Amino acid sequence: MSDSPAVYVPAEIEPKWQAFWLQNETFKAEMDTARPKLYVLDMFPYPSGAGLHVGHPEGYTATDIYCRYQRMRGRNVLHPMGWDAFGLPAEQHAIETGTHPRDTTRRNIDNFRRQIQSFGFSYDWSREVDTTDPKYYRWTQWIFLQLYRKGLAYVDEIPVNWCPALGTVLANEEVIDGRSERGNHPVERRPMKQWMLRITAYAERLLDDLQGLDWPEGIKEMQRNWIGKSIGADVDFAIDGSEEQVRVFTTRPDTLFGATYMVLAPEHPLVGKLVTDEHRAAVAAYQQQAANKSDMDRTELSTEKTGVFIGAYAINPVNGERIPIWISDYVLVSYGHGAIMAVPAHDERDFAFASTFGIEIRAILEPSHDAARAVGLDSGELLKGKACWTGDGRMIRSANNQGLDINGMQMPAAKKATISWLEKKGIGKGTVNYKLRDWLFSRQRYWGEPFPVIHCPTCGHVGLPDEQLPVRLPEMTDFKPAGDARPPLAKAAEWLAVTCPQCGAAARRETNTMPQWAGSCWYFLRYIDPHNDIRAWDPEKEKYWMPVDLYVGGAEHAVLHLLYARFWHKVLYDLGYVSTVEPFQRLVNQGMILGTSYKDSRGALVPNDKVIERGDTFIHAETGESLTVFPAKMSKSLKNVVSPDEVIAEFGADSFRLYEMYMGPLEDTKPWSTQGVKGVHRFLYRAWRMILGDAEQPPPRITDEPLDKNKLRLLHQTIRKVTEDIESISSFNTAISQLIVFVNEFLNEKQQNREAMESFVKLLSPFAPHIAEELWQRLGHIETIAYAPWPTWDESALQVDEVDVVVQVNGKLRARIAMATTLTADEMQAVAMANERVQELTTGKAVVKVIAVPGRLVNIVVR
Ligand code: ANZ
Ligand code: ZN
């Protein structure tokens, strides 16, 4: 072959095979009910202007290995890729430069596609989706309408972060200490009409169904915490001298006898009614101050407790005591009922508050001696109101003359007894609360999906009929917000005007757009049937391909994306559009890849372009000071971002892929090292040389002559190890180690066994597919290796021969032990020393010398 390089040159083979796969549609997936399917999904990227970073190919390589392996095992594999392309950066770029977000997005997608294809991933490119394509978002809008018609989408007036200086609403992440992250301008909370999705209606199912998922336990736990189910009770408190009542939610109804005051959220609707004239001014001032704090800051345990007394008193229903009512920002208006009964002896935040304001602290529960001792609690202090105890214990001081006596009970029994007493009296009941809030689903942005909803003066909100989809984004050149917190779309006058589909009156379109999460809530369903213009997807295809069997991506999506997608999926399930309750059966999180950074002796960070390598040390280019190396998150400012394009140009895609998998278990955080890439590159070079030779080494003769026992065993060990490691998904690194051992053993032979070489190439192919295709072809195959049958191992070939080894102590025969013929002298010695009889004779004595003759004898000399 004239175009055959004598040595391994990735640049000469990789683009060739990538073109081959694309032209031949090698990885095109077709529904085939005769074959078992496998749906393997990557979290599709946001195509940023910066291009791919080294974290992307980590997960993509892992799924690619799994897919290529499973195809060779005969599975019908669906493995698609697409673009999550709506979002803020393209819009900000548009505001700064006037470039339309669509153009920026298109350019970035082209660059991402080029980069991803340069890795040789086995995607079915005919299924590519782009969330910003009207052909795609038509169906995002359609799903929204399904939610809307089911009563799961509604408009509510809720506080948003409004920045007057920037003239825009900011996301929580964009606000730092009450000021805008960009520009440091003051931000205020102001109520605005927003679209909300009723995810809370699915809280219980989102929680329950986690059970059946093959996900990392940590991610499940994060979802559980996010949903935050609390079991407790609602209790109604009468107000002294008023008809009003205040309802509180408590997880500790057992502590009612210790409730010595009550706290309302500053925004609680009853504050205005209950406040006495004397306290009105102070209360108003406090409310003002609380309005500008985030919920996060307010509930922080460590922050100092603030608040004011409003002059009114509630009646504690268990003992009739008057307890003062305060407002404080540690009580959130959005949780429970926005009001609490405060039990300072048994709740940390209440304890801090009561201590600050001199309110009575009354213990009503005593821990056991052991429990108190374990944390150094002095029970005497607790009883005197000088300490707080949040654990379990025996109830004290907790009885009234109206049929409630929980003294002596432990917490669970006391809770139960109190709840049934409250229920009998009609002043409370057992309830469940969730931390999960409804999902704020509108953004005041241009570059997002328009809502398929209009506002009619007579009909109110009207969802558009399906025929009117998609509602396309209007052409605009000015993407700045319209001022006064109105979104940019409010300026598209022509686009805004519509007729109401219900009554025909002149109406206006909704000007908010959907958040970036929308498109990623269902993209895995569109991949199934991406070109369908009649439906979002075909039900038969959905039944065949769903659920996603394996989903790989970063742990940063542990909660929001994965929860939102599960929510939509359940709604679609209830409507009969999908056949599985959950979308993603198995989830694996890839770990972060860190860069290399440097710091000087004072601990100051030194950007990488100011560092010079001197042998094994690193010095500051300007000061000459020697620097310490440490792994750190890759960042532009540290100039330690590794560019995939450069690594591929230097070492090739196969080396890149192999290196990222060789760095360690998939889930671990790992530091990048270009030295490491060199190492695996050398391995690939040697693999090539093993089969085809190179400039110094003539190609071996490929024969059918049988392998000797040791080589045969190594071959079968390698097949087994690589197979099992790929199945685990996590330990690709040890599979690669085994391939390296194989090459070390087989390298430089004048003659190679065909079956061994072909099996090796197959085992290598999921990891390094370009070189594998090339070697496969040069071994005489015409078809792609992508569907060649995966090799299987033979248990009998793994068997190790054993011989009886004679074990002597001081020259006398003491034992005969069966040992594998493959053991080294050291291993034989270890086996001999572990023998019971030998131990009897050697313990307490000094071992002077050990002689081991492989396959024959071990002699131990002791004194
Ligand atoms: C009395 C009590 C006594 C409480 C005690 C706790 C310990 P989780 O578990 O997170 O659901 N709470 C209720 N509504 C609140 C609100 N809107 N803002 C801030 N705190 C609120 O927490 C439930 C507990 O948090 C409730 O139980 C209530 O305090 C408080 F020894 O009631 B507890
Ligand atoms: Zn109308």
Side-chain angles (χ1 to χ4, degrees):
M1 274 179 270
S2 58
D3 62 339
S4 326
V7 295
Y8 173 51
V9 183
E12 290 181 31
I13 58 171
E14 293 184 349
K16 182 180 79 180
W17 285 107
Q18 286 157 20
F20 174 92
W21 294 324
L22 280 179
Q23 272 156 26
N24 291 283
E25 298 189 311
T26 307
F27 305 112
K28 194 172 163 106
E30 225 60 88
M31 175 169 145
D32 175 2
T33 48
R35 282 201 299 154
K37 66 91 184 185
L38 185 81
Y39 187 175
V40 179
L41 183 71
D42 288 307
M43 289 186 184
F44 66 164
Y46 171 72
S48 71
L52 225 55
H53 59 74
V54 295
H56 289 115
E58 185 192 12
Y60 301 163
T61 303
T63 51
D64 199 54
I65 290 169
Y66 193 64
C67 287
R68 287 177 177 273
Y69 159 75
Q70 291 287 6
R71 282 191 201 96
M72 295 171 80
R73 298 284 308 261
R75 296 288 283 270
N76 189 19
V77 175
L78 176 60
H79 189 37
M81 180 43 76
W83 321 108
D84 186 17
F86 274 128
L88 208 49
E91 181 158 340
Q92 259 153 4
H93 189 66
I95 293 173
E96 282 153 26
T97 65
T99 323
H100 197 287
R102 193 187 44 231
D103 298 332
T104 313
T105 301
R106 192 169 298 154
R107 196 157 6 101
N108 292 348
I109 286 179
D110 286 344
N111 187 45
F112 260 67
R113 189 189 304 103
R114 175 193 65 75
Q115 288 192 299
I116 288 181
Q117 288 182 347
S118 75
F119 280 94
F121 297 132
S122 61
Y123 294 120
D124 176 355
W125 285 103
S126 72
R127 293 175 186 261
E128 186 178 335
V129 301
D130 164 6
T131 55
T132 67
D133 181 345
K135 286 198 178 122
Y136 180 92
Y137 69 64
R138 166 187 180 182
W139 300 109
T140 311
Q141 293 171 337
W142 176 81
I143 297 174
F144 174 83
L145 284 173
Q146 305 307 311
L147 284 130
Y148 177 76
R149 289 176 195 145
K150 216 179 169 239
L152 293 170
Y154 61 96
V155 171
D156 197 10
E157 182 117 322
I158 67 151
V160 295
N161 306 305
W162 165 243
C163 177
L166 293 174
T168 187
V169 171
L170 300 173
N172 284 337
E173 304 82 62
E174 298 170 297
V175 183
I176 293 166
D177 289 336
R179 303 184 81 87
S180 62
E181 186 186 21
R182 223 162 17 105
N184 196 31
H185 305 293
V187 173
E188 43 188 69
R189 309 267 285 166
R190 94 152 45 170
M192 264 180 63
K193 284 220 160 72
Q194 303 280 332
W195 281 96
M196 306 293 292
L197 295 186
R198 219 179 288 282
I199 190 172
T200 51
Y202 282 73
E204 196 63 35
R205 285 165 66 189
L206 288 167
L207 199 61
D208 282 352
D209 293 345
L210 283 172
Q211 261 174 31
L213 296 179
D214 184 7
W215 286 20
E217 198 43 49
I219 303 282
K220 288 196 198 179
E221 193 54 24
M222 283 168 78
Q223 292 225 344
R224 282 188 203 109
N225 290 337
W226 190 265
I227 296 167
K229 180 177 181 174
S230 291
I231 299 171
D234 283 349
V235 186
D236 292 328
F237 282 67
I239 304 301
D240 192 24
S242 161
E243 293 294 285
E244 301 288 352
Q245 286 199 338
V246 174
R247 176 167 292 181
V248 305
F249 170 69
T250 175
T251 46
R252 296 290 306 277
D254 55 304
T255 62
L256 257 166
F257 286 94
T260 53
Y261 65 101
M262 172 180 270
V263 186
L264 307 185
E267 305 86 347
H268 194 288
L270 282 180
V271 175
K273 277 200 194 135
L274 301 181
V275 63
T276 56
D277 287 341
E278 188 192 341
H279 295 90
R280 200 172 293 278
V283 164
Y286 188 81
Q287 285 173 320
Q288 183 66 37
Q289 176 196 325
N292 290 325
K293 278 203 210 167
S294 76
D295 287 358
M296 189 81 105
D297 292 340
R298 286 172 52 161
T299 47
E300 192 67 54
L301 198 61
S302 58
T303 50
E304 205 180 309
K305 296 286 165 282
T306 59
V308 292
F309 174 50
I310 70 168
Y313 291 85
I315 307 295
N316 185 338
V318 292
N319 56 15
E321 279 178 23
R322 279 170 96 233
I323 57 175
I325 304 178
W326 290 65
I327 58 171
S328 171
D329 62 13
Y330 80 95
V331 174
L332 304 178
V333 72
S334 54
Y335 187 64
H337 304 291
I340 65 162
M341 62 182 226
V343 185
H346 303 291
D347 179 277
E348 302 275 7
R349 287 176 300 173
D350 296 347
F351 182 78
F353 189 92
S355 306
T356 306
F357 294 105
I359 302 171
E360 185 190 351
I361 298 169
R362 187 190 303 164
I364 45 81
L365 174 160
E366 250 188 329
S368 70
H369 279 303
D370 290 351
R373 178 135 30 83
V375 294
L377 176 89
D378 178 339
S379 286
E381 296 280 288
L382 177 66
L383 292 177
K384 277 186 270 170
K386 300 234 160 58
C388 177
W389 172 253
T390 59
D392 200 354
R394 203 174 53 88
M395 307 302 304
I396 52 170
R397 303 171 176 168
S398 294
N400 64 20
N401 52 16
Q402 301 188 37
L404 179 61
D405 182 353
I406 53 175
N407 280 330
M409 293 182 186
Q410 298 288 309
M411 187 199 289
K415 275 187 188 173
K416 236 168 120 188
T418 309
I419 291 175
S420 61
W421 185 84
L422 289 167
E423 286 177 349
K424 207 157 36 194
K425 293 268 170 187
I427 45 178
K429 63 176 197 326
T431 48
V432 170
N433 247 289
Y434 298 92
K435 291 256 155 44
L436 186 67
R437 302 284 75 148
D438 277 345
W439 176 10
L440 198 172
F441 194 68
S442 42
R443 299 289 184 274
Q444 293 69 48
R445 307 280 183 202
Y446 171 78
W447 196 228
E449 298 88 347
F451 281 85
V453 173
I454 58 125
H455 301 271
C456 167
T458 38
C459 313
H461 303 125
V462 180
L464 290 172
D466 290 354
E467 315 80 80
Q468 291 191 25
L469 304 185
V471 178
R472 286 165 191 273
L473 279 170
E475 281 307 318
M476 292 179 73
T477 48
D478 171 13
F479 307 100
K480 284 201 199 70
D484 200 26
R486 281 181 312 139
L489 288 180
K491 292 188 292 190
E494 238 175 88
W495 177 85
L496 274 183
V498 281
T499 50
C500 170
Q502 255 170 41
C503 72
R508 285 164 58 84
R509 289 191 190 278
E510 168 66 50
T511 56
N512 283 300
T513 52
M514 299 185 199
Q516 202 190 344
W517 307 108
S520 57
C521 273
W522 73 284
Y523 72 114
F524 47 93
L525 290 166
R526 188 62 178 171
Y527 280 142
I528 285 170
D529 197 8
H531 306 294
N532 197 330
D533 283 332
I534 300 160
R535 294 168 170 182
W537 55 83
D538 177 89
E540 288 305 309
K541 292 181 181 166
E542 186 280 328
K543 266 195 210 83
Y544 178 69
W545 289 115
M546 285 299 285
V548 170
D549 298 281
L550 172 66
Y551 194 18
V552 175
E556 67 275 17
H557 295 297
V559 179
L560 299 181
H561 159 61
L562 288 170
L563 198 65
Y564 294 154
R566 293 180 63 218
F567 163 47
W568 278 34
H569 204 76
K570 288 185 185 304
V571 176
L572 292 169
Y573 176 81
D574 291 347
L575 292 167
Y577 290 114
V578 297
S579 57
T580 65
V581 189
E582 286 284 333
F584 316 122
Q585 188 51 42
R586 180 173 182 187
L587 178 78
V588 172
N589 290 125
Q590 75 217 42
M592 195 159 33
I593 294 184
L594 301 175
T596 306
S597 286
Y598 303 88
K599 56 187 171 191
D600 64 20
S601 55
R602 276 149 291 127
L605 297 171
V606 180
N608 288 26
D609 60 345
K610 296 247 179 341
V611 179
I612 298 177
E613 197 174 337
R614 271 276 160 84
D616 284 346
T617 60
F618 300 91
I619 59 165
H620 197 297
E622 284 153 16
T623 64
E625 191 188 343
S626 75
L627 304 171
T628 352
V629 196
F630 68 102
K633 211 173 153 175
M634 292 189 187
S635 77
K636 270 195 203 147
S637 61
L638 286 174
K639 298 210 160 47
N640 64 349
V641 180
V642 174
S643 145
D645 282 349
E646 285 170 23
V647 178
I648 288 184
E650 193 170 351
F651 300 103
D654 282 338
S655 294
F656 193 119
R657 296 169 55 117
L658 208 57
Y659 171 61
E660 286 212 344
M661 296 301 102
Y662 191 48
M663 289 169 86
L666 185 60
E667 295 94 332
D668 287 12
T669 301
K670 295 151 286 202
W672 176 275
S673 135
T674 303
Q675 284 303 327
V677 189
K678 281 183 197 156
V680 296
H681 182 72
R682 241 182 338 261
F683 157 67
L684 288 178
Y685 183 96
R686 284 147 59 84
W688 177 284
R689 171 176 160 137
M690 172 180 79
I691 298 173
L692 299 176
D694 63 11
E696 286 129 43
Q697 171 101 13
R701 235 163 20 89
I702 308 286
T703 74
D704 290 328
E705 236 160 83
L707 290 170
D708 69 45
K709 255 203 176 138
N710 285 334
K711 282 216 167 72
L712 187 69
R713 186 182 314 112
L714 177 58
L715 170 64
H716 286 267
Q717 273 169 351
T718 305
I719 297 173
R720 183 171 73 174
K721 181 83 184 123
V722 173
T723 306
E724 289 176 352
D725 285 349
I726 293 180
E727 290 278 356
S728 82
I729 303 194
S730 153
S731 1
F732 297 129
N733 55 327
T734 52
I736 296 167
S737 300
Q738 182 70 33
L739 292 170
I740 294 173
V741 170
F742 181 96
V743 170
N744 288 345
E745 184 63 29
F746 281 78
L747 190 64
N748 297 339
E749 299 286 354
K750 295 206 172 56
Q751 149 179 330
Q752 297 284 24
N753 172 275
R754 171 170 291 276
E755 194 201 322
M757 292 302 106
E758 295 198 339
S759 297
F760 170 81
V761 174
K762 287 181 188 175
L763 297 177
L764 178 67
S765 69
F767 300 87
H770 308 86
I771 187 175
E773 287 278 20
E774 186 72 22
L775 293 171
W776 189 242
Q777 192 183 56
R778 289 171 185 240
L779 282 167
H781 296 274
I782 304 162
E783 300 282 342
T784 166
I785 197 172
Y787 296 92
W790 187 255
T792 49
W793 71 88
D794 182 351
E795 282 295 339
S796 65
L798 294 172
Q799 298 300 315
V800 175
D801 288 341
E802 289 188 338
V803 284
D804 272 351
V805 170
V806 169
V807 179
Q808 300 173 328
V809 179
N810 289 348
K812 281 210 185 95
L813 173 64
R814 296 299 189 182
R816 283 178 198 276
I817 307 175
M819 293 191 198
T821 47
T822 49
L823 293 194
T824 63
D826 284 349
E827 288 163 346
M828 287 173 70
Q829 175 183 341
V831 174
M833 296 293 283
N835 180 280
E836 214 176 301
R837 180 109 174 84
V838 173
Q839 282 195 343
E840 274 170 29
L841 294 161
T842 55
T843 35
K845 303 200 172 133
V847 176
V848 185
K849 191 168 161 189
V850 180
I851 305 149
V853 183
R856 295 195 32 211
L857 127 164
V858 180
N859 185 13
I860 301 161
V861 182
V862 290
R863 215 179 19 220

